[in-house]
Amino acid sequence: MPVLPYLGVAFTPLGLDEAAAAVAERPADAPFAYVVTPNAQHVVRINRADPDLTTAYRDAWLRLCDSRVLALLARLLGGPALPAAAGSDLTARLFRSVIRPDDTVTVVGGDAEMAERLRGIYGLRALQCHFPPMGLLRDDAAMRACVDFVAAHPARFVFLAVGTPQGEAMAQRIFRHGGATGTGLCIGASLLFLTGQSRRAPLWMRRLALEWLYRLLADPRRHFRRVFVESLPLVGLVAADRLRRAFGR
């Protein structure tokens, strides 16, 4: 896949349609490869040399831009043309248009209610689930159990619904473990949206790059730090890149 380096991330410049097609084309028995979806928070962490994300991103097959805000800022400030392919949109596209009832699907994360809703909504007959405890990143035994589960349960699609950076670290460990097959996707809370357990921002807000505002208003206590401390520095990173480009010319 071609790459588009920007702000320390080797983005794969694919839109939603192209990304879904690329994932759909991989056969179930292909060696395990995984997809990451860097958003504003991820880019900031990578630029702060976060070891858990930085190393996991190096082995990823696709690195899709999850942030419409990032894509917009890049366009306004002279950066590259980054097509947006949000992880939640990609997950929805796969379940609604690609995954068939007989496809083997593995989910790591979530709970029994999520699993039952997925079976009921999409008619999945070969859904395999593993529900790990919290604190995976610092629990070697629990992380190893997740990796072993994926390796022991071959699937065409492997959805890692354990949040960041746990999902990315797990995907890399599965990749380096060897023996696993299929395509892994680090998808955070995407399955909660599909099953109706959480509500996503309206489509018009997503198109206007305002999904962050919806989340902030819906749960300010949880998202205040994510928006203003962990994600807002992205603006400075984009501006600094613009200055470097200007002086470089």
Side-chain angles (χ1 to χ4, degrees):
M1 288 289 177
V3 297
L4 184 59
Y6 187 54
L7 302 183
V9 178
F11 285 96
T12 309
L14 297 179
L16 179 61
D17 292 341
E18 296 83 3
V23 173
E25 287 172 0
R26 296 195 80 240
D29 59 354
F32 183 82
Y34 62 96
V35 180
V36 295
T37 53
N39 59 23
Q41 182 186 21
H42 297 179
V43 172
V44 171
R45 293 180 69 162
I46 286 172
N47 278 268
R48 292 175 176 171
D50 182 304
D52 297 313
L53 278 182
T54 302
T55 59
Y57 269 41
R58 290 174 186 163
D59 287 340
W61 170 50
L62 301 181
R63 304 169 197 85
L64 306 173
C65 178
D66 186 84
S67 173
R68 289 184 179 272
V69 171
L70 173 57
L72 177 62
L73 287 174
R75 185 167 69 250
L76 292 177
L77 294 179
L82 280 177
S88 294
D89 292 332
L90 178 59
T91 302
R93 176 69 63 85
L94 293 175
F95 270 92
R96 293 167 182 167
S97 303
V98 177
I99 297 174
R100 302 182 297 270
D102 289 331
D103 278 330
T104 306
V105 177
T106 292
V107 173
V108 178
D111 54 24
E113 180 183 357
M114 174 192 289
E116 287 308 307
R117 290 193 182 200
L118 285 174
R119 289 189 180 96
I121 296 171
Y122 299 102
L124 303 179
R125 293 190 283 269
L127 178 64
Q128 309 167 135
C129 298
H130 179 66
F131 309 124
M134 300 291 288
L136 266 179
L137 202 59
R138 305 298 173 225
D139 188 336
D140 287 340
M143 180 68 82
R144 190 162 52 249
C146 294
V147 174
D148 291 343
F149 182 87
V150 172
H153 295 79
R156 184 183 179 195
F157 302 101
V158 181
F159 292 94
L160 305 179
V162 293
T164 297
Q166 293 81 211
E168 291 80 3
M170 184 187 302
Q172 185 185 37
R173 294 194 189 191
I174 297 168
F175 173 77
R176 293 190 172 183
H177 176 275
T181 59
T183 304
L185 299 102
C186 305
I187 47 89
S190 299
L191 295 180
L192 293 176
F193 300 138
L194 282 186
T195 57
Q197 292 169 281
S198 291
R199 182 173 297 178
R200 196 177 176 194
L203 182 59
W204 69 268
M205 294 190 77
R206 285 181 260 156
R207 288 176 172 170
L208 292 175
L210 293 175
E211 191 162 10
W212 63 271
L213 179 60
Y214 177 86
R215 293 178 180 178
L216 180 64
L217 294 175
D219 192 345
R221 179 174 296 182
R222 179 183 179 188
H223 289 283
F224 181 89
R225 178 176 177 81
R226 292 184 181 182
V227 171
F228 294 107
V229 177
E230 298 174 357
S231 299
L232 188 59
L234 176 72
V235 178
L237 293 174
V238 175
D241 177 80
R242 178 68 179 91
L243 290 175
R244 283 193 296 270
R245 290 171 184 267
F247 283 113
R249 286 198 296 270

